Amino acid sequence: MSETPARILCVDDESTITDFVSYALQKEGFEADVASNGEDALEMADKKDYDLFILDIMLPGMDGYELCRRLRSKTSAPVLFLSARDTELDKVVGLEIGGDDYLSKPFGLRELIARVRALLRRGSGQMETAHTLTASGITLDEDAHTAEGDKGPIDLTPREFELMAALMKHAGNVVSREDLLRDAWGWEYLTETKTVDTHIKRLRDKIKAAGYDPAIVETVRGYGYRFRK
């Protein structure tokens, strides 16, 4: 019998963000709903039991803080704040009124999914388990944001980490530049695919500098890139 997927409600008045977040969550096997304001979110929460809420702070009408307070009177499900407001005060207020975690915009897909998984495990009382990807002798830990193998760690920027994760998740298969933009750049989706080529070169340089073969990231002309298994 298959396990019921976690239900997640994303509340943000920017459709570009809700479209991306819901797509990313569904791609990972979660059930995702969206709402553009607090009133709709509360109505949806009355009709369905959600396992996690992802809230923007700057919502029209009722802001994310007030929405979190009202949700707390209905459910103990974890709340993850997503917001461009990233001062220490914003984060403290969000956590003190009942939020469980805070992720600043812009954010990467891997980090978002890692935060969601961690909150769901915490909410269900499950033990923390690492989510890792391994290919070509390199292991990438999505929770710790590290990449290393028998030659030691690879020093990656957050963007390079996201790019490597997107490739390793599909190791052995070709990933198009468009898919890499969506997975590694997240809601900052860029239409200029040459950006991917530039970052692939930097990623290969980092892999080589750490003592590994940069050719593990292969170019498939006319299609995209492939990470060797």
Side-chain angles (χ1 to χ4, degrees), residues 10-203:
C10 177
V11 189
D12 198 303
D13 61 329
E14 294 186 51
S15 61
T16 53
I17 295 178
T18 52
D19 287 349
F20 164 67
V21 171
S22 61
Y23 167 83
L25 292 172
Q26 290 167 1
K27 190 175 180 181
E28 293 296 321
F30 300 114
E31 180 182 318
D33 292 335
V34 300
S36 61
N37 59 70
E39 289 77 10
D40 287 349
L42 289 172
E43 185 176 342
M44 294 172 72
D46 284 336
K47 296 178 179 178
K48 185 182 293 188
D49 291 327
Y50 288 99
D51 300 294
L52 174 71
F53 296 92
I54 299 177
L55 311 180
D56 184 26
I57 293 176
M58 301 171 66
L59 294 171
M62 182 193 312
D63 66 18
Y65 293 144
E66 180 60 25
L67 174 57
C68 181
R69 291 190 188 95
R70 296 195 187 187
L71 286 171
R72 275 288 160 262
S73 68
K74 302 172 179 288
T75 176
S76 60
V79 171
L80 168 61
F81 281 113
L82 291 182
S83 180
R85 292 167 53 173
D86 61 353
T87 68
E88 183 178 0
L89 179 59
D90 289 322
K91 296 177 182 179
V92 169
V93 171
L95 297 176
E96 286 187 344
I97 55 93
D100 296 275
D101 201 355
Y102 195 110
L103 184 58
S104 300
K105 299 175 183 176
F107 55 87
L109 172 61
R110 292 295 98 203
E111 183 175 10
L112 171 66
I113 297 302
R115 299 284 188 100
V116 165
R117 285 175 174 157
L119 287 173
L120 288 171
R121 290 195 299 270
R122 192 185 311 167
S124 63
Q126 296 178 14
M127 294 292 290
E128 291 288 323
T129 55
H131 287 82
T132 61
L133 301 168
T134 301
S136 291
I138 296 173
T139 296
L140 186 147
D141 188 320
E142 296 183 272
D143 294 334
H145 276 234
T146 59
E148 60 184 319
D150 57 5
K151 294 180 174 62
I154 303 173
D155 182 23
L156 301 174
T157 65
R159 185 68 70 203
E160 291 160 354
F161 181 90
E162 298 284 349
L163 184 57
M164 192 165 177
L167 287 165
M168 289 183 70
K169 187 174 182 181
H170 303 283
N173 298 316
V174 179
V175 185
S176 70
R177 290 173 175 81
E178 290 77 14
D179 283 342
L180 287 173
L181 280 171
R182 181 172 55 245
D183 288 352
W185 272 257
W187 69 273
E188 298 177 282
Y189 186 86
L190 304 174
T191 56
E192 180 51 73
T193 56
K194 289 183 180 179
T195 299
V196 174
D197 301 334
T198 300
H199 281 78
I200 286 289
K201 181 182 183 303
R202 293 175 183 169
L203 177 59

